[in-house]
Amino acid sequence: MAQSTWSVSEPRKLAFDEPVSALNVRIVNGTVNVVGTDEGSARLEISSIEGPPLIVTQDGPTLTVAYEDLPWKGFLKWFDRKSWQRNAVVSLAVPAESTVEVGVVGAGAVVSGIRGRTTVRGVNGDTTLVGLSGSITADTVSGNLEAQAVTGDLVFKSVSGDLTVIEGAATSVRADSVSGDMVLDLDTSGRPADIRLTSVSGEIGIRLEHPSADARVEANTTSGTVSNAFEDLRVSGQWGAKSITGTLGAGNGTLRATTVSGSIALLRRPAREDGPTDATGPGSTGPTTEKVL
């Protein structure tokens, strides 16, 4: 298949007849929306654009929407502020099985319904991921990442961006941040989990399904506080370093959380058949005993 290229300098819609299995988007300021569909082809709408044109290229099954001067390699080191005088609102519908790569500088990104691998790189734009079942890799400088109802393995790295996982079912989460906070609400439904979180000064909060959580737990903070809502786990340390250790379920999985000065909280997520998550509401498991140091 011959390569097709469009230079888009004003609002425009494009439909691609040839099959698409890989998407690469790189923009500065504005918004990127990517949604997975059951169709084999892709559709693009650029509803607003200011500054230099976006170059749209279809090369075989790969669709690229990007600025010529914004390469994927070394993306997080792109700080040419003179070139930041641009803005675009880009929406794409691609086959759900596609591999998706999104790079944003000062732009927000929303990716939903993708079953293929998703990679996000952001300098200072926030990203929302919804209903992704493929593996996820996200690298940011100061951008925040919110993931809702994701089931694929998640790897997150940031300097100061926060990580929030809501109603997640991923059994593998690796997150590393300097000062960003991490809040994870996970339902692994008895499957062994592999969760490893590291931060220097960020706070870490993890909410696990009870009683089906299955992991060996080791959570440590050098100077922060710890909070534990699981009777099977032990809290140790009165002054300085504190830790939460023990085994949940059969202990087939791993939960490790480490922070230097941030606090750590392990919370119980009632099983779905227990009804409302309000600990004092009807059908609840009753008040949760929580030890805080």
Side-chain angles (χ1 to χ4, degrees):
M1 173 184 171
Q3 176 177 297
S4 300
T5 302
W6 299 262
S7 178
V8 181
S9 57
E10 59 185 18
R12 186 174 180 181
K13 295 181 181 180
L14 292 171
F16 306 91
D17 296 330
E18 297 297 330
V20 170
S21 61
L23 173 67
N24 191 314
V25 183
R26 303 187 300 276
I27 72 166
V28 178
N29 298 327
T31 306
V32 176
N33 295 292
V34 179
V35 60
T37 71
D38 291 329
E39 301 175 12
S41 58
R43 301 187 306 275
L44 164 67
E45 178 179 0
I46 299 176
S47 56
S48 174
I49 183 168
E50 300 174 5
L54 279 167
I55 307 302
V56 180
T57 305
Q58 185 173 23
D59 187 0
T62 300
L63 178 63
T64 301
V65 182
Y67 292 109
E68 284 186 314
D69 60 350
L70 186 58
W72 181 254
K73 186 176 181 179
F75 182 86
L76 297 182
K77 298 179 181 179
W78 196 84
F79 287 105
D80 184 4
R81 295 184 178 273
K82 293 180 180 179
S83 300
W84 283 28
Q85 303 303 316
R86 58 186 81 180
N87 189 294
V89 178
V90 178
S91 299
L92 290 125
V94 298
E97 302 296 337
S98 299
T99 297
V100 174
E101 295 181 343
V102 176
V104 287
V105 180
V110 179
V111 182
S112 62
I114 296 296
R115 295 191 287 269
R117 184 181 72 253
T118 298
T119 303
V120 178
R121 294 179 182 174
V123 176
N124 58 348
D126 293 342
T127 299
T128 300
L129 308 177
V130 182
L132 305 189
S133 56
S135 62
I136 302 166
T137 301
D139 292 337
T140 74
V141 178
S142 59
N144 301 322
L145 175 67
E146 180 176 308
Q148 302 177 11
V150 298
T151 58
D153 296 347
L154 172 61
V155 177
F156 174 75
K157 295 181 180 179
S158 179
V159 177
S160 60
D162 296 339
L163 170 64
T164 303
V165 178
I166 302 171
E167 297 180 349
T171 56
S172 177
V173 180
R174 307 288 180 95
D176 190 349
S177 177
V178 177
S179 59
D181 296 335
M182 303 178 190
V183 179
L184 282 70
D185 177 28
L186 299 175
D187 175 11
T188 56
S189 299
R191 295 167 294 162
D194 185 9
I195 304 169
R196 302 170 191 264
L197 313 176
T198 304
S199 180
V200 177
S201 59
E203 298 184 351
I204 297 176
I206 308 168
R207 194 165 178 249
L208 297 174
E209 178 110 352
H210 179 77
S212 62
D214 183 5
R216 299 183 307 278
V217 177
E218 183 179 340
N220 301 281
T221 178
T222 302
S223 59
T225 61
V226 296
S227 176
N228 170 46
F230 292 90
E231 292 84 352
D232 295 335
L233 302 180
R234 301 181 301 278
V235 177
S236 59
Q238 295 292 333
W239 305 101
K242 302 178 183 66
S243 64
I244 303 172
T245 56
T247 302
L248 296 176
N252 294 315
T254 300
L255 168 56
R256 292 181 181 175
T258 303
T259 178
V260 177
S261 59
S263 63
I264 297 178
L266 299 185
L267 308 175
R268 284 169 42 175
R269 188 179 197 267
R272 276 173 285 185
E273 63 268 23
D274 288 343
T277 57
D278 183 352
T280 60
S284 72
T285 56
T288 299
T289 303
E290 186 172 309
K291 185 173 182 180
V292 180
L293 287 178

